[in-house]
Amino acid sequence: MYADTKIRRNTIRDITKLKGERPVVSLTAYTAPMAAQLDPHVDFLLVGDSLAMVLYGMESTIGVSLDTMIEHTKAVMRGAQKAMVILDMPFGSFEESKEQAFHNASRVLRETGCAAVKLEGGAAMAETIKFLVDRNIPVMAHIGLRPQAVHVMGGYRTQGRNQDERTQTIEDAYAIQKAGAFSVVLEGVMEPLAVEITKKLDIITIGIGASPDCDGQILVVEDMLGYFPSNAKFVKRYAEVGQTIDAAVRQYAEDVKARSFPAKEHTYRPKS
Ligand code: KIV
């Protein structure tokens, strides 16, 4: 599955120069086989903290640890040869101080070999972003709906519905650009606001529940494959993998009960 011919991995420069040329294609990945399968089709893969919910069945993204994120990122790096890989800094791993953020983000780059970190936050995180970028850690920011802030935001609410939210989101976008982030995820942002921010910024905007006019798009791969029970409006289901698995496992259970599996061709018998 993992071809051994050396392919050059995309760099931040490869991705950022796509602004105005063509949309950036990205998806989440948490495991080596999935990364290998997505690799030919995407510009970058994000090891999102959404894995807390999608893989580990947690109620929110808040409970996942940095150690867990690092192990999954190592797996994704082993699976993907071409895609740039970004690790999503989990809740509690960067907010305390810029020094804490550097300590943890430098560990991420050293231990995983991935190219960049993503962190949630706008103007409030600008100083931290600058501190990291000044010390050679590329940062993708994440503004609009921030799942790690679910409790203070009062749920998973689309941002930019009123003037205060619009002003705050634009301020956030300018602040993280000024701090040196190379890109920003716009999650759950009203479409006109996502378009406005994309036009105003020089850095690439990656939309999820935002606008087709963002500089690129991202989805949680299990959502778009129909393998996670998401009913979010912004998710287009490109497949129904959950149904395929269900049918296969149902058949397996029937075969086992009927003793029709394993069949002759699946068993080892002495040659007579
Ligand atoms: O955790 C995640 O998967 C994300 C993306 C969907 C942007 O943050």
Side-chain angles (χ1 to χ4, degrees), residues 37-102:
Q37 187 137 31
L38 306 180
D39 192 45
H41 309 290
V42 299
D43 297 305
F44 76 83
L45 289 169
L46 172 72
V47 186
D49 64 351
S50 50
L51 66 75
M53 299 165 82
V54 176
L55 283 195
Y56 289 94
M58 296 180 190
E59 250 177 49
S60 75
T61 59
I62 288 173
V64 69
S65 72
L66 184 62
D67 286 346
T68 300
M69 295 301 298
I70 285 177
E71 289 311 313
H72 282 280
T73 304
K74 286 184 193 168
V76 168
M77 285 293 289
R78 289 191 283 265
Q81 298 185 50
K82 174 188 75 77
M84 184 172 94
V85 176
I86 302 176
L87 176 146
D88 201 4
M89 297 294 284
F91 180 69
S93 69
F94 61 95
E95 305 91 327
E96 193 178 334
S97 66
K98 45 195 198 316
E99 289 80 9
Q100 180 214 22
F102 178 77

Side-chain angles (χ1 to χ4, degrees), residues 246-261:
D246 188 62
V249 176
R250 186 191 307 263
Q251 186 61 56
Y252 168 74
E254 280 174 19
D255 287 357
V256 169
K257 288 178 196 158
R259 298 195 191 281
S260 59
F261 176 82

